[in-house]
Amino acid sequence: HVQLVESGGGSVQAGGSLRLSCAASGLRDRVYYMAWFRQAPGKEREGVAGMWTGGDTDYADSVAGRFTISQDKAKNTLYLQMDSLKPEDTAMYTCAADNTGLAPTMPRLRARMRRGEFSSWGQGTQVTVS
């Protein structure tokens, strides 16, 4: 059973930076898709960044060039470095993970991010940009 705990959210002025962390426990020695989602009040959940263990990364157009997803496998921690933050980045940010099952590919990752098809979710951390 995979458990995910996010941290690092907070309030920041526009143009500033934050780094979110997602500590994972219960991971087995497998390849996982891992991703960051966000949801603002009154808006649909949006997949903002995703990757698979030791693999490629993908970003929503709205954050490409400003956000960076990375993983420290030794620490079982997923990160989201957010730079040049904008007020429209204000949202609850949640990390998610799932065993890839089949060999990981970018189309499969993107499909999972579009549909939110991840079996494990954290509780979220709030990011507010003013």
PDB file of all heavy atoms in Angstrom, residues 49-63:
ATOM      1  N   ALA A  49       2.435  17.974 -14.018  1.00  0.00           N
ATOM      2  CA  ALA A  49       3.744  17.402 -14.332  1.00  0.00           C
ATOM      3  C   ALA A  49       3.741  15.921 -13.992  1.00  0.00           C
ATOM      4  O   ALA A  49       3.125  15.515 -13.007  1.00  0.00           O
ATOM      5  CB  ALA A  49       4.840  18.107 -13.557  1.00  0.00           C
ATOM      6  N   GLY A  50       4.414  15.148 -14.792  1.00  0.00           N
ATOM      7  CA  GLY A  50       4.465  13.710 -14.552  1.00  0.00           C
ATOM      8  C   GLY A  50       5.765  13.113 -15.028  1.00  0.00           C
ATOM      9  O   GLY A  50       6.493  13.710 -15.830  1.00  0.00           O
ATOM     10  N   MET A  51       6.056  11.918 -14.524  1.00  0.00           N
ATOM     11  CA  MET A  51       7.254  11.203 -14.917  1.00  0.00           C
ATOM     12  C   MET A  51       7.100   9.747 -14.537  1.00  0.00           C
ATOM     13  O   MET A  51       6.151   9.396 -13.828  1.00  0.00           O
ATOM     14  CB  MET A  51       8.492  11.794 -14.246  1.00  0.00           C
ATOM     15  CG  MET A  51       8.521  11.650 -12.736  1.00  0.00           C
ATOM     16  SD  MET A  51      10.005  12.358 -11.979  1.00  0.00           S
ATOM     17  CE  MET A  51      11.264  11.255 -12.641  1.00  0.00           C
ATOM     18  N   TRP A  52       8.018   8.902 -14.965  1.00  0.00           N
ATOM     19  CA  TRP A  52       8.103   7.564 -14.399  1.00  0.00           C
ATOM     20  C   TRP A  52       9.509   7.382 -13.865  1.00  0.00           C
ATOM     21  O   TRP A  52      10.433   8.112 -14.214  1.00  0.00           O
ATOM     22  CB  TRP A  52       7.710   6.483 -15.400  1.00  0.00           C
ATOM     23  CG  TRP A  52       8.554   6.355 -16.626  1.00  0.00           C
ATOM     24  CD1 TRP A  52       9.724   5.662 -16.776  1.00  0.00           C
ATOM     25  CD2 TRP A  52       8.259   6.911 -17.918  1.00  0.00           C
ATOM     26  NE1 TRP A  52      10.170   5.774 -18.072  1.00  0.00           N
ATOM     27  CE2 TRP A  52       9.293   6.519 -18.795  1.00  0.00           C
ATOM     28  CE3 TRP A  52       7.208   7.707 -18.426  1.00  0.00           C
ATOM     29  CZ2 TRP A  52       9.311   6.890 -20.142  1.00  0.00           C
ATOM     30  CZ3 TRP A  52       7.232   8.066 -19.756  1.00  0.00           C
ATOM     31  CH2 TRP A  52       8.276   7.678 -20.605  1.00  0.00           C
ATOM     32  N   THR A  53       9.653   6.414 -12.969  1.00  0.00           N
ATOM     33  CA  THR A  53      10.911   6.197 -12.262  1.00  0.00           C
ATOM     34  C   THR A  53      12.065   6.135 -13.244  1.00  0.00           C
ATOM     35  O   THR A  53      12.104   5.274 -14.117  1.00  0.00           O
ATOM     36  CB  THR A  53      10.846   4.876 -11.465  1.00  0.00           C
ATOM     37  OG1 THR A  53       9.639   4.847 -10.690  1.00  0.00           O
ATOM     38  CG2 THR A  53      12.042   4.765 -10.545  1.00  0.00           C
ATOM     39  N   GLY A  54      13.003   7.070 -13.097  1.00  0.00           N
ATOM     40  CA  GLY A  54      14.173   7.090 -13.966  1.00  0.00           C
ATOM     41  C   GLY A  54      13.869   7.409 -15.413  1.00  0.00           C
ATOM     42  O   GLY A  54      14.718   7.197 -16.276  1.00  0.00           O
ATOM     43  N   GLY A  55      12.690   7.928 -15.674  1.00  0.00           N
ATOM     44  CA  GLY A  55      12.287   8.136 -17.050  1.00  0.00           C
ATOM     45  C   GLY A  55      12.058   9.579 -17.430  1.00  0.00           C
ATOM     46  O   GLY A  55      12.515  10.502 -16.754  1.00  0.00           O
ATOM     47  N   ASP A  56      11.342   9.767 -18.522  1.00  0.00           N
ATOM     48  CA  ASP A  56      11.102  11.084 -19.070  1.00  0.00           C
ATOM     49  C   ASP A  56      10.076  11.858 -18.239  1.00  0.00           C
ATOM     50  O   ASP A  56       9.344  11.288 -17.424  1.00  0.00           O
ATOM     51  CB  ASP A  56      10.602  10.976 -20.510  1.00  0.00           C
ATOM     52  CG  ASP A  56      11.692  10.480 -21.449  1.00  0.00           C
ATOM     53  OD1 ASP A  56      12.874  10.523 -21.063  1.00  0.00           O
ATOM     54  OD2 ASP A  56      11.353  10.038 -22.562  1.00  0.00           O
ATOM     55  N   THR A  57      10.027  13.160 -18.485  1.00  0.00           N
ATOM     56  CA  THR A  57       9.083  14.029 -17.787  1.00  0.00           C
ATOM     57  C   THR A  57       8.151  14.685 -18.798  1.00  0.00           C
ATOM     58  O   THR A  57       8.471  14.811 -19.990  1.00  0.00           O
ATOM     59  CB  THR A  57       9.829  15.121 -17.002  1.00  0.00           C
ATOM     60  OG1 THR A  57      10.635  15.884 -17.909  1.00  0.00           O
ATOM     61  CG2 THR A  57      10.734  14.502 -15.943  1.00  0.00           C
ATOM     62  N   ASP A  58       7.012  15.117 -18.297  1.00  0.00           N
ATOM     63  CA  ASP A  58       6.037  15.785 -19.147  1.00  0.00           C
ATOM     64  C   ASP A  58       5.360  16.875 -18.340  1.00  0.00           C
ATOM     65  O   ASP A  58       5.180  16.726 -17.120  1.00  0.00           O
ATOM     66  CB  ASP A  58       4.994  14.790 -19.665  1.00  0.00           C
ATOM     67  CG  ASP A  58       4.149  15.375 -20.776  1.00  0.00           C
ATOM     68  OD1 ASP A  58       4.711  16.049 -21.669  1.00  0.00           O
ATOM     69  OD2 ASP A  58       2.918  15.176 -20.757  1.00  0.00           O
ATOM     70  N   TYR A  59       4.969  17.956 -19.011  1.00  0.00           N
ATOM     71  CA  TYR A  59       4.399  19.105 -18.338  1.00  0.00           C
ATOM     72  C   TYR A  59       3.180  19.631 -19.080  1.00  0.00           C
ATOM     73  O   TYR A  59       3.108  19.559 -20.317  1.00  0.00           O
ATOM     74  CB  TYR A  59       5.428  20.240 -18.247  1.00  0.00           C
ATOM     75  CG  TYR A  59       6.661  19.865 -17.479  1.00  0.00           C
ATOM     76  CD1 TYR A  59       7.778  19.338 -18.119  1.00  0.00           C
ATOM     77  CD2 TYR A  59       6.714  20.015 -16.094  1.00  0.00           C
ATOM     78  CE1 TYR A  59       8.904  18.966 -17.416  1.00  0.00           C
ATOM     79  CE2 TYR A  59       7.843  19.649 -15.375  1.00  0.00           C
ATOM     80  CZ  TYR A  59       8.933  19.128 -16.043  1.00  0.00           C
ATOM     81  OH  TYR A  59      10.045  18.765 -15.330  1.00  0.00           O
ATOM     82  N   ALA A  60       2.246  20.163 -18.312  1.00  0.00           N
ATOM     83  CA  ALA A  60       1.143  20.884 -18.917  1.00  0.00           C
ATOM     84  C   ALA A  60       1.693  22.156 -19.563  1.00  0.00           C
ATOM     85  O   ALA A  60       2.677  22.733 -19.077  1.00  0.00           O
ATOM     86  CB  ALA A  60       0.103  21.245 -17.860  1.00  0.00           C
ATOM     87  N   ASP A  61       1.049  22.584 -20.632  1.00  0.00           N
ATOM     88  CA  ASP A  61       1.503  23.796 -21.319  1.00  0.00           C
ATOM     89  C   ASP A  61       1.541  24.996 -20.380  1.00  0.00           C
ATOM     90  O   ASP A  61       2.394  25.879 -20.503  1.00  0.00           O
ATOM     91  CB  ASP A  61       0.566  24.099 -22.508  1.00  0.00           C
ATOM     92  CG  ASP A  61       0.726  23.091 -23.633  1.00  0.00           C
ATOM     93  OD1 ASP A  61       1.739  22.361 -23.649  1.00  0.00           O
ATOM     94  OD2 ASP A  61      -0.176  23.037 -24.487  1.00  0.00           O
ATOM     95  N   SER A  62       0.629  25.021 -19.419  1.00  0.00           N
ATOM     96  CA  SER A  62       0.508  26.161 -18.517  1.00  0.00           C
ATOM     97  C   SER A  62       1.700  26.320 -17.588  1.00  0.00           C
ATOM     98  O   SER A  62       1.908  27.398 -17.014  1.00  0.00           O
ATOM     99  CB  SER A  62      -0.773  26.047 -17.691  1.00  0.00           C
ATOM    100  OG  SER A  62      -0.786  24.833 -16.967  1.00  0.00           O
ATOM    101  N   VAL A  63       2.504  25.246 -17.414  1.00  0.00           N
ATOM    102  CA  VAL A  63       3.629  25.325 -16.474  1.00  0.00           C
ATOM    103  C   VAL A  63       4.967  25.011 -17.131  1.00  0.00           C
ATOM    104  O   VAL A  63       6.015  25.158 -16.496  1.00  0.00           O
ATOM    105  CB  VAL A  63       3.425  24.384 -15.270  1.00  0.00           C
ATOM    106  CG1 VAL A  63       2.082  24.656 -14.596  1.00  0.00           C
ATOM    107  CG2 VAL A  63       3.558  22.927 -15.669  1.00  0.00           C
TER     108      VAL A  63
END
